[in-house]
């Protein structure tokens, strides 16, 4: 019988996504652990993410009073981790500018090994809006999707009265891809769909992004068969790529 180690494994060793980082020229995106999740919900409770008279989300979670808002936020992160599998996953990142926590950026997929399609969602603290942070953090997860994971398509969407989100998508090369009617506050509103394909993304100017800690995460996402994955932690390989 093999001896039992006296040193317990760290959470990052058991759940390597805790070590996943994305670095842009001014931002660092860190996969959300419990401490970071609590801090993110603290930012929402203290600073807000939109004008209280508006609602950019189909589920009005930002109107939940404190401390229920913070508790429900932690539950959302726990559910996301618990449901992570090759069939469906959500990667939630806290976004830092220096030491300051400024927002959250998600990357999501269902059936990614076959479909190679991702979607995204995000928010930026109200006091940090209007400085290009939303565009740069979306560019970071697009780099992760296309260069790191071999995605072929990225989708997004926003209500027609959310011009800031739509502007970010269009600036990054997304094109209109139809619309749906969605219920919001008891009223129907048009939810505009956006699409970015790999060829368009490769033609557009991209923010330099360094991916840290991706390789051990791949089996959790159903990508352990990418035998030609370049080392995403190699400092001499600034744009690691999972190629098919």
């Amino acid at each position: 019988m093999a001896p039992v180690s006296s040193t317990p494994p760290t959470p990052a060793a058991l759940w390597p996504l805790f070590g996943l980082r994305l670095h842009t020229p001014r931002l660092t995106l860190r996969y959300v652990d419990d401490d970071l999740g609590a801090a993110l919900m603290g930012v929402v409770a203290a600073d807000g993410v939109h004008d209280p008279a508006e609602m950019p989300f189909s589920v009005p979670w930002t109107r939940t009073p404190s401390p229920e808002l913070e508790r429900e936020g932690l539950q959302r992160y726990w559910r996301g981790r618990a449901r992570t599998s090759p069939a469906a996953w959500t990667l939630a990142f806290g976004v830092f500018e220096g030491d300051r926590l400024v927002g959250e950026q998600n990357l999501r997929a269902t059936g990614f090994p076959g479909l190679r399609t991702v979607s995204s969602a995000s928010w930026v603290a109200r006091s940090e809006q209007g400085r290009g942070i939303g565009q740069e953090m979306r560019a970071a997860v697009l780099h992760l999707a296309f260069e790191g994971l071999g995605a072929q398509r990225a989708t997004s969407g926003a209500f027609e009265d959310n011009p800031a989100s739509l502007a970010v998508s269009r600036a990054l090369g997304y094109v209109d891809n139809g619309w749906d009617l969605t219920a919001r506050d008891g009223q129907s509103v048009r939810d505009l769909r956006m699409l970015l394909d790999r060829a368009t993304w490769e033609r557009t100017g991209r923010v330099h992004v360094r991916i840290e800690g991706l390789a051990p995460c791949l089996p959790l996402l159903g990508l352990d068969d990418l035998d030609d994955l370049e080392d995403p932690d190699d400092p001499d390989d600034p744009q690691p790529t999972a190629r098919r």
Side-chain angles (χ1 to χ4, degrees):
M1 180 181 296
V4 177
S5 173
S6 60
T7 303
T10 64
L14 296 172
W15 194 250
L17 287 166
F18 284 140
L20 184 58
R21 304 281 190 275
L22 308 176
H23 303 275
T24 75
R26 64 169 170 164
L27 304 176
T28 296
L29 282 68
R30 288 173 38 197
Y31 181 84
V32 175
D33 59 17
D34 283 355
D35 289 340
L36 182 48
L40 283 164
M41 291 301 98
V43 170
V44 176
D47 198 10
V49 299
H50 58 81
D51 187 321
E54 301 172 353
M55 178 46 64
F57 309 117
S58 57
V59 177
W61 61 275
T62 50
R63 291 180 182 160
T64 305
S66 181
E68 287 82 6
L69 182 145
E70 293 94 317
R71 292 171 183 158
E72 290 181 5
L74 286 176
Q75 289 179 309
R76 174 169 58 89
Y77 297 127
W78 295 334
R79 284 194 298 270
R81 281 183 229 142
R83 293 173 178 172
T84 298
S85 74
W89 43 261
T90 297
L91 306 180
F93 295 94
V95 182
F96 290 84
E97 184 179 24
D99 295 329
R100 192 169 67 258
L101 186 58
V102 296
E104 179 183 337
Q105 176 70 61
N106 291 351
L107 187 71
R108 305 168 179 167
T110 299
F112 183 80
L115 298 176
R116 299 287 165 158
T117 299
V118 298
S119 63
S120 60
S122 65
W123 57 261
V124 175
R126 289 190 72 188
S127 61
E128 307 291 346
Q129 293 172 8
R131 300 193 297 114
I133 289 173
Q135 182 170 329
E136 190 163 329
M137 67 194 208
R138 177 100 68 91
V141 293
L142 288 174
H143 183 96
L144 172 62
F146 287 112
E147 288 283 353
L149 302 177
Q152 295 299 315
R153 289 169 300 279
T155 65
S156 187
F159 292 131
E160 61 184 346
D161 57 2
N162 188 354
S165 178
L166 294 169
V168 166
S169 294
R170 290 177 175 131
L172 290 170
Y174 290 77
V175 296
D176 293 342
N177 192 39
W179 56 272
D180 291 321
L181 281 177
T182 299
R184 181 185 63 179
D185 290 341
Q187 302 291 326
S188 64
V189 60
R190 289 208 309 169
D191 190 1
L192 306 185
R193 304 301 188 187
M194 310 290 288
L195 175 66
L196 175 65
D197 61 33
R198 186 180 186 88
T200 302
W201 179 79
E202 289 178 341
R203 289 196 304 269
T204 61
R206 291 178 269 166
V207 171
H208 175 77
V209 181
R210 179 169 62 88
I211 304 173
E212 176 186 349
L214 177 59
C217 303
L218 294 175
L220 293 173
L221 309 179
L223 297 176
D224 51 314
D225 62 335
L226 290 178
D227 55 7
D228 55 352
L229 176 67
E230 296 176 14
D231 183 359
D233 299 321
D234 183 353
D236 296 323
D237 177 22
Q239 293 188 341
T241 306
R243 296 192 179 92
R244 272 302 201 187

